[in-house]
Amino acid sequence: MTHILGIETSCDETAAAVVRAGEQVVSNVVSSQFAVHKPYGGVVPELASREHLRNIVPVVRAALEGAARDYSRIDAIAVTQGPGLAGALLVGVSYAKALAFAAEKPLIAVNHLEGHIHAVLLQMKAEGNENLQFPVMALVVSGGHTHLYLSSERENLWTYSNVGKTRDDAAGEAFDKVAKLLGLGYPGGPVIDRLAQHGDPHAVKFTFAQIKSPARGEKSENPGERFDFSFSGIKTAVLRYVETHGMQAAIEARRRALLEIPKPTTEDFLRLTDRGTLNLVASFQRAVIGDLVGKTLAAARSYNVETLFITGGVAANSELRTRFEERAAHEGLAVAFPSRPLSTDNAAMIAAAAYPKFLAGDFAPPEFSAEAGLVLR
Ligand code: KG4
Ligand code: ZN
């Protein structure tokens, strides 16, 4: 049975995992840097690289110990090549290269977005669901990405064609920025998810420009119809709402109060958040999810797909899951998500995505390097 050690350092999580035969997670260790970046309200690239350097050795060691294996019983090492923060990626790539060289193991380079897509497959296999119908439309929605990929597989080799992406902010970035401007801290997604359940999603009206054709001067990777997203407008709309409704003083008070609480609970957030803000948060979340669901379903119809994969950090959102399940059922499409721990960044998804490449003998040449802007094909 093939065991692959996966390593992931593309953003603010140092992660390592051992996955058996591309389908069974034997160990999965994630060291999050939330506490380091929290005071800045977002990821600071230099701090991320420094934290990866500090954490990579103990995290990889913990993943091997968790799997009760040493390097002699690992068949290959897989690492995220990109996309992501250049300095952060370099830590993982350099460490994986050194390990592969010293332990004389093959090295496999994995695209982070392909990792997110394979997190869904990992989950399906864990649930014993072998009935996957192609083609698949995969929405990768996270802090760095909002991408739609038309995906197919032939003889273990997956191919991807991008049919939509964000023109500006990623959806998760919009959650994070809106949380920050409302004094709710970082990361914003999980907090907004919990607070939105207590607000009225119809209280504030947001509209979206429907962007469907490639912008001028932009070459399309795919000749078919495009389904692009844009989330910077809604962030500005929330900011304007805050200004016109005189919410700044309450936001500042909330920000200061939350800084005093080491690990705020949902009750703490609710105690510090007024009804108007809860309504604003619920309306914002409803608008973003409505757009994600609407465009993904439209893309699925246009490309005649059988199955939807919804993955990435924002796929942990409860309302997003419910809305996708309802709409997919209505349109007769299958929809699959990773478990919540596999939705956000982890290395099990990297080891899983590496397995078909291992079978195909698709190994990284010794001179390969990290690529911050790596494209998925
Ligand atoms: O996939 P991920 O861990 O890292 C990237 O590759 O970006 O995604 C992190 C993003 C953050 O923007 C975070 O706010 C968002 O995912 N997120 C959520 C939820 N949990 C995490 N957004 C909405 N609802 C959630 N429950
Ligand atoms: Zn990610």
Side-chain angles (χ1 to χ4, degrees):
M1 276 288 193
T2 307
H3 285 76
I4 298 182
L5 168 68
I7 297 176
E8 152 67 39
T9 64
S10 70
C11 189
D12 60 345
E13 257 107 26
T14 316
V18 175
V19 175
R20 180 189 301 142
E23 61 179 59
Q24 195 185 347
V25 181
V26 186
S27 67
N28 188 18
V29 179
V30 180
S31 168
S32 165
Q33 305 176 2
F34 286 161
V36 174
H37 302 287
K38 201 175 167 185
Y40 306 94
V43 179
V44 183
E46 290 77 8
L47 296 184
S49 311
R50 194 189 70 187
E51 288 303 303
H52 286 309
L53 275 173
R54 212 201 297 267
N55 294 332
I56 186 95
V57 174
V59 164
V60 170
R61 195 172 290 156
L64 287 171
E65 275 169 14
R69 273 178 190 256
D70 57 18
Y71 289 111
S72 67
R73 295 171 64 225
I74 290 293
D75 300 288
I77 295 167
V79 66
T80 305
Q81 183 183 10
L85 302 169
L89 288 165
L90 260 178
V91 176
V93 167
S94 312
Y95 191 66
K97 272 187 176 183
L99 278 184
F101 180 73
E104 299 181 350
K105 300 292 173 186
L107 185 59
I108 301 166
V110 175
N111 185 304
H112 181 80
L113 300 171
E114 183 170 25
H116 275 301
I117 292 171
H118 280 257
V120 182
L121 283 173
L122 252 185
Q123 185 62 28
M124 289 177 75
K125 286 174 180 163
E127 289 169 3
N129 181 355
E130 299 286 337
N131 183 25
L132 174 57
Q133 304 285 329
F134 286 95
V136 169
M137 185 63 73
L139 171 68
V140 183
V141 60
S142 71
H145 312 279
T146 309
H147 280 55
L148 278 169
Y149 290 101
L150 182 63
S151 318
S152 17
E153 181 226 39
R154 198 191 294 165
E155 288 167 11
N156 268 319
L157 280 179
W158 282 68
T159 50
Y160 309 90
S161 166
N162 180 264
V163 300
K165 63 174 189 292
T166 180
R167 294 279 171 85
D168 38 56
D169 292 351
E173 197 178 351
F175 273 89
D176 294 336
K177 286 179 175 170
V178 163
K180 186 180 178 183
L181 79 86
L182 293 175
L184 293 168
Y186 171 85
V191 180
I192 290 184
D193 188 352
R194 281 180 280 156
L195 294 186
Q197 296 167 23
H198 300 269
D200 173 8
H202 307 292
V204 185
K205 297 270 173 287
F206 294 109
T207 56
F208 277 95
Q210 301 291 314
I211 309 171
K212 279 192 177 159
S213 55
R216 241 177 300 157
E218 186 182 318
K219 263 205 219 128
S220 172
E221 284 168 39
N222 189 295
E225 194 180 0
R226 289 194 60 80
F227 298 87
D228 284 348
F229 301 92
S230 167
F231 294 108
S232 77
I234 190 161
K235 172 195 67 191
T236 314
V238 172
L239 180 61
R240 219 163 273 136
Y241 187 92
V242 163
E243 286 167 355
T244 53
H245 289 74
M247 297 166 76
Q248 286 98 330
I251 288 171
E252 206 33 56
R254 176 161 52 244
R255 194 193 315 279
R256 275 199 304 273
L258 282 169
L259 279 178
E260 301 292 311
I261 310 172
K263 275 199 178 145
T265 60
T266 304
E267 285 67 38
D268 291 324
F269 280 109
L270 284 172
R271 185 168 44 79
L272 294 165
T273 311
D274 54 276
R275 175 124 314 270
T277 306
L278 290 176
N279 289 345
L280 179 57
V281 158
S283 304
F284 160 79
Q285 179 172 287
R286 176 63 56 93
V288 170
I289 289 173
D291 191 61
L292 289 170
V293 173
K295 289 206 179 105
T296 304
L297 265 297
R301 278 193 296 273
S302 170
Y303 288 93
N304 247 326
V305 309
E306 297 286 337
T307 308
L308 295 177
F309 277 14
I310 315 298
T311 185
V314 181
N317 187 279
S318 347
E319 188 181 342
L320 178 124
R321 287 180 179 232
T322 313
R323 294 281 294 273
F324 263 114
E325 269 161 3
E326 285 167 5
R327 286 286 303 276
H330 186 72
E331 308 220 3
L333 288 170
V335 60
F337 307 89
S339 65
R340 281 188 170 76
L342 290 177
S343 296
T344 48
D345 286 352
N346 65 87
M349 67 186 198
I350 302 302
Y355 184 61
K357 298 183 200 294
F358 178 87
L359 295 178
D362 182 6
F363 301 120
E367 69 279 6
F368 101 101
S369 190
E371 248 186 73
L374 189 65
V375 172
L376 178 60
R377 291 205 164 83

